[in-house]
Amino acid sequence: MNQEKQDQWIKSYLLGDLPPHEREQVEARYFADPDFLERMDVIEAELIEDYALGALGVEKAQKVKQHMLNSPYQLEKLQFAEMLMERFDQVETVQDVAVEAALRRENWVANLRGFFSQRRWPSFVIPAAAAVLIIGGLIFEISRMRRQLDNLRLAGLKQQETIAQQQKQIEQMTGKPQPSPEERRNDLVKDQTSPPPTMKLATFLLLSVTTREVNEKPPDVLIPTGAAEVRLQLVYNGKRYSSYQPMLENADGDVLLPPKSGLKTVRVGNQSIVNFDVPTKNLIENRTYIVRLKAKRASNYEEVGLYDFIVRKQ
Amino acid sequence: MDEEEAVAFKKFLDYLAPDNEQAAVQRYEHLRDAAIKYFACKYFACRNVSDPRACADEVLRVLQLKIAAGRVIEHIESYSLRVAHYVKLRDWKRHQPEVQPSESEGKDKNPGAESPLEILEKRVERNRLSRCLAKCWQTFSDEDRKLMERYGLGSEHHKAEREALAAELGITEEYLRQKIHRLKKKLRACLNDCLKKISRKV
């Protein structure tokens, strides 16, 4: 049996695909042959890592879960793979950021050097020019921020007016007083302070809305009965950042969960994915939801991706 | 280990490789690893209730007793497999009621629901793991750390990078795969030791 066939044989054994007589052959082999046992270890570790990376198909992933992750001893291996995954991702992100910063620094210094080396300047000109540049930059930045703040205030006032008008209309139609936005926010926060459920039963891959045709409807997220949480895997292929923050909103733009900061991407093949766990109690059937993916840039989070989906329940 | 057990262990090592303690220990470790693998796979497992390591130690204990009692075993590896099978059946019978709940019992229980205490315990556990991993990571040389990082995880990823890495090191990809596996195994062993030490302190 060649190496490739042997690997496949081992994989089938680990995934529970072999008939009984062949299982016995594999057992006899690994009891007798230390090299074969080590080979099994390698393949088992890779399968568990692939599972942790989300790189297996649904059927294979289920088999791994069912046959290979059924005891605390085996779960220790999965935990180890997950910890390594986090560690390697962190290392890579730090390296990416360092390389980008170094490149930026190099370009900036090279440009500056080029500019000043072209001609001879009197000694006072350089500090004076630097001071003018800094002060000018500061004034420009402050005025820009003021304008932004004014716009935000204006938008906030308009939004408040609209909400008040809509509330009045609802009260007129139903005859019942409606809770204020503040009260509604408090209700949401109250809901979210209960301990989070951790049973992840459903995983869905979401592509950014920009990858869809204009008339194409958002994808369905089918939640199985009894699932306490869904894992949304947000496919993100843009520039890499040190940390991500997904925000779940309903179609009205209400933020439904407190923002989860500090998430990292996980690589799956050529794709990068941000895993976002959402308790199913926050999702209502047949409603459309939006996930805004934000990335940390300097000290702020900026939107880098938009995803939407419709909830269906089984 | 009492005196009788120590004598049985010594006899067993002698049996595995007379006059060569190192070879005997290696063969002993292999038998233990093989037995762990046997119990760790679901359809032969101790049905989720026993630790595969404990089951494997039980296999070795039985083997030692047999050898100490003067039993002549021609092929120790295949005999170990038979003992493992016997231990599995015994263990399975012992724990059968616990692992095969009736359907209605299964429905009543909610395996996903965790108490706040359990959640807290998990966080503490994770924190310990992170600390230990950071500590163990530092015990590796720069070269080995970079090698593990560049190789990455999983079976199919970074194929080009892995090819380049093997070429740089002048080894085959298969050998590189094995080397990485041994490094990760060493890291896991360090992690387990570290966790044991912490739990002893607590």
Side-chain angles (χ1 to χ4, degrees):
Chain A
M1 194 185 284
N2 67 22
Q3 189 84 292
E4 211 173 304
K5 270 192 179 168
Q6 187 183 297
D7 285 0
Q8 198 48 52
W9 197 43
I10 292 172
K11 253 185 206 172
S12 302
Y13 172 83
L14 292 168
L15 297 174
D17 287 340
L18 287 186
H21 70 279
E22 279 196 58
R23 289 202 307 243
E24 281 164 20
Q25 283 174 11
V26 175
E27 281 156 22
R29 183 83 190 272
Y30 69 69
F31 263 91
D33 182 354
D35 290 339
F36 185 82
L37 183 64
E38 187 174 30
R39 189 90 195 155
M40 280 189 83
D41 272 341
V42 172
I43 292 168
E44 186 191 51
E46 284 176 353
L47 272 171
I48 293 176
E49 284 171 6
D50 282 340
Y51 177 84
L53 289 165
L56 298 172
V58 178
E59 198 189 341
K60 230 182 205 173
Q62 268 173 351
K63 279 184 180 171
V64 168
K65 199 176 170 187
Q66 196 183 347
H67 295 284
M68 296 171 64
L69 302 172
N70 59 322
S71 70
Y73 172 75
Q74 292 293 92
L75 286 171
E76 274 174 25
K77 293 180 186 174
L78 176 65
Q79 203 172 27
F80 178 68
E82 284 173 344
M83 299 224 62
L84 277 188
M85 205 165 81
E86 273 174 31
R87 170 144 216 117
F88 290 171
D89 204 45
Q90 272 170 13
V91 169
E92 196 168 287
T93 313
V94 169
Q95 280 170 352
D96 283 354
V97 171
V99 168
E100 274 172 29
L103 281 174
R104 270 203 307 273
R105 236 182 355 256
E106 251 172 42
N107 285 343
W108 187 80
V109 171
N111 289 343
L112 206 65
R113 201 181 286 147
F115 177 74
F116 283 110
S117 62
Q118 278 167 8
R119 50 186 90 184
R120 293 178 70 85
W121 300 89
S123 59
F124 66 89
V125 171
I126 296 171
V132 168
L133 274 174
I134 291 168
I135 293 166
L138 275 173
I139 292 170
F140 176 77
E141 188 61 15
I142 289 167
S143 64
R144 190 184 66 83
M145 284 167 78
R146 274 195 182 141
R147 272 200 309 276
Q148 227 173 19
L149 195 64
D150 287 344
N151 287 342
L152 281 171
R153 277 191 189 132
L154 206 65
L157 284 172
K158 275 184 186 167
Q159 213 173 16
Q160 275 177 6
E161 271 175 30
T162 318
I163 291 169
Q165 278 172 2
Q166 284 174 345
Q167 257 180 326
K168 262 186 198 165
Q169 282 174 356
I170 294 170
E171 278 170 18
Q172 279 167 5
M173 284 159 76
T174 60
K176 287 179 192 165
Q178 295 298 303
S180 69
E182 195 62 43
E183 285 167 339
R184 255 186 298 181
R185 221 177 2 255
N186 287 343
D187 284 348
L188 273 174
V189 171
K190 222 188 291 166
D191 273 350
Q192 287 144 11
T193 48
S194 55
T198 53
M199 188 172 61
K200 289 178 195 78
L201 284 178
T203 302
F204 298 94
L205 204 66
L206 290 182
L207 297 171
S208 160
V209 291
T210 52
T211 60
R212 242 185 9 241
E213 294 292 328
V214 181
N215 295 326
E216 204 178 330
K217 76 173 187 59
D220 288 344
V221 164
L222 191 66
I223 302 176
T225 316
E229 236 175 33
V230 284
R231 169 162 286 187
L232 302 174
Q233 297 191 310
L234 312 172
V235 179
Y236 171 70
N237 290 319
K239 196 178 159 215
R240 294 192 66 164
Y241 296 89
S242 60
S243 146
Y244 297 85
Q245 182 193 63
M247 308 264 285
L248 180 71
E249 292 178 8
N250 61 20
D252 297 325
D254 296 324
V255 177
L256 301 179
L257 287 170
K260 259 186 205 169
S261 307
L263 298 186
K264 308 276 176 200
T265 51
V266 176
R267 274 188 318 277
V268 178
N270 296 327
Q271 311 275 12
S272 288
I273 279 174
V274 177
N275 285 324
F276 181 33
D277 293 344
V278 178
T280 50
K281 67 176 181 185
N282 292 82
L283 302 171
I284 300 168
E285 196 171 7
N286 296 330
R287 295 274 173 88
T288 304
Y289 293 89
I290 291 162
V291 178
R292 286 182 196 282
L293 183 65
K294 296 184 174 186
K296 196 171 185 183
R297 221 173 179 184
S299 56
N300 299 322
Y301 276 95
E302 279 181 19
E303 192 171 310
V304 291
L306 190 68
Y307 306 79
D308 57 359
F309 61 94
I310 299 172
V311 168
R312 308 276 184 218
K313 291 193 176 174
Q314 270 181 340
Chain B
M1 195 187 281
D2 63 26
E3 204 178 323
E4 204 179 324
E5 281 176 333
V7 171
F9 181 66
K10 179 79 181 69
K11 268 190 182 173
F12 187 56
L13 288 184
D14 282 345
Y15 183 87
L16 291 177
D19 305 324
N20 187 344
E21 203 178 302
Q22 204 187 340
V25 169
Q26 266 182 8
R27 206 169 169 200
Y28 179 90
E29 289 293 332
H30 165 66
L31 285 177
R32 187 170 186 269
D33 287 346
I36 290 175
K37 181 73 71 209
Y38 178 88
F39 290 107
C41 295
K42 184 185 174 160
Y43 32 91
F44 303 115
C46 298
R47 306 282 161 168
N48 296 345
V49 283
S50 298
D51 186 342
R53 284 165 289 207
C55 297
D57 288 339
E58 176 64 8
V59 171
L60 290 164
R61 198 186 66 82
V62 172
L63 289 174
Q64 284 167 38
L65 288 176
K66 298 274 180 199
I67 300 288
R71 177 79 166 261
V72 179
I73 301 167
E74 206 175 308
H75 194 268
I76 191 78
E77 279 79 14
S78 50
Y79 189 75
S80 309
L81 176 56
R82 272 169 36 212
V83 173
H85 186 66
Y86 157 76
V87 169
K88 178 200 79 181
L89 285 177
R90 200 188 58 187
D91 191 84
W92 183 72
K93 277 180 194 156
R94 196 191 302 159
H95 296 293
Q96 202 173 11
E98 289 175 48
V99 293
Q100 291 193 325
S102 69
E103 216 168 289
S104 58
E105 274 174 350
K107 274 177 190 168
D108 289 339
K109 284 177 192 170
N110 183 359
E114 281 180 301
S115 70
L117 188 66
E118 281 172 327
I119 291 167
L120 191 69
E121 273 173 1
K122 272 195 178 169
R123 276 189 199 154
V124 171
E125 176 67 21
R126 195 142 186 90
N127 192 17
R128 276 183 195 166
L129 268 170
S130 302
R131 270 165 47 205
C132 280
L133 185 63
K135 204 172 150 188
C136 288
W137 192 245
Q138 292 309 318
T139 63
F140 284 79
S141 67
D142 264 2
E143 198 186 329
D144 285 343
R145 284 198 297 250
K146 275 183 192 146
L147 201 62
M148 281 193 273
E149 281 162 12
R150 278 184 69 186
Y151 191 88
L153 297 167
S155 58
E156 296 295 325
H157 307 303
H158 319 295
K159 275 211 157 163
E161 175 76 1
R162 286 176 185 180
E163 271 173 31
L165 197 55
E168 265 174 48
L169 295 168
I171 55 177
T172 63
E173 277 183 67
E174 203 43 59
Y175 184 72
L176 175 66
R177 188 183 179 197
Q178 210 171 41
K179 188 177 165 73
I180 293 292
H181 177 70
R182 286 179 186 162
L183 285 173
K184 284 183 196 162
K185 207 172 166 183
K186 203 171 135 193
L187 180 62
R188 235 186 100 208
C190 171
L191 200 66
N192 285 339
D193 283 348
C194 173
L195 287 171
K196 269 183 205 158
K197 275 182 201 159
I198 289 182
S199 55
R200 269 204 294 272
K201 275 183 199 166
V202 174

